[in-house]
Amino acid sequence: MYGLTVRWSLAQAPEGVDAELREYVHGTSLARFSEMDGLRFKTWRTRPGEWFEGTYVFETAQARDEFAESFAATAADSPGSRMIGSPPILQETFDVVAVAEGKAGFAAGPGPDPA
């Protein structure tokens, strides 16, 4: 499996961007990426007020590399960049050594809402 990480800094992002990003992911992005050819899974991660990140795992290096190239060309105008007010600070590829599914099982869908 072949991975890609895209990270944005939230250090200078507008107030409320964390909630806006969460709403966008739950309302739009989940459905879009759930149907993406060649994608095994995508995880959205955040440290509110610090960074927001998409981590993608693809079936093949070709699928990953094609997506990475396409995204890099439009990253500055992506929905995340528009909400955050700046382009990603990091886009890097990696190889996935292994994935373990624990006894709790794999769960797709939105994560918990912040308290």
Side-chain angles (χ1 to χ4, degrees):
M1 292 178 282
Y2 303 89
L4 171 69
T5 295
V6 180
R7 180 178 283 192
W8 288 260
S9 171
L10 299 179
Q12 303 299 317
E15 180 94 17
V17 74
D18 295 300
E20 186 178 358
L21 288 164
R22 184 178 296 271
E23 183 177 313
Y24 175 76
V25 168
H26 290 183
T28 302
S29 245
L30 264 171
R32 176 180 171 222
F33 287 99
S34 293
E35 298 299 319
M36 180 180 258
D37 288 335
L39 182 69
R40 290 205 181 265
F41 63 89
K42 178 179 180 182
T43 303
W44 292 262
R45 301 178 341 130
T46 190
R47 287 187 58 96
E50 293 182 34
W51 51 262
F52 177 76
E53 177 180 284
T55 301
Y56 308 75
V57 175
F58 291 88
E59 182 177 15
T60 67
Q62 180 180 350
R64 187 241 355 242
D65 295 346
E66 287 173 0
F67 178 80
E69 183 178 338
S70 172
F71 187 78
T74 61
D77 195 43
S78 69
S81 293
R82 289 195 307 269
M83 285 180 244
I84 293 164
S86 60
I89 59 169
L90 172 73
Q91 181 171 324
E92 71 179 358
T93 59
F94 58 90
D95 292 348
V96 176
V97 175
V99 174
E101 182 175 356
K103 287 189 176 187
F106 186 80
D113 284 325

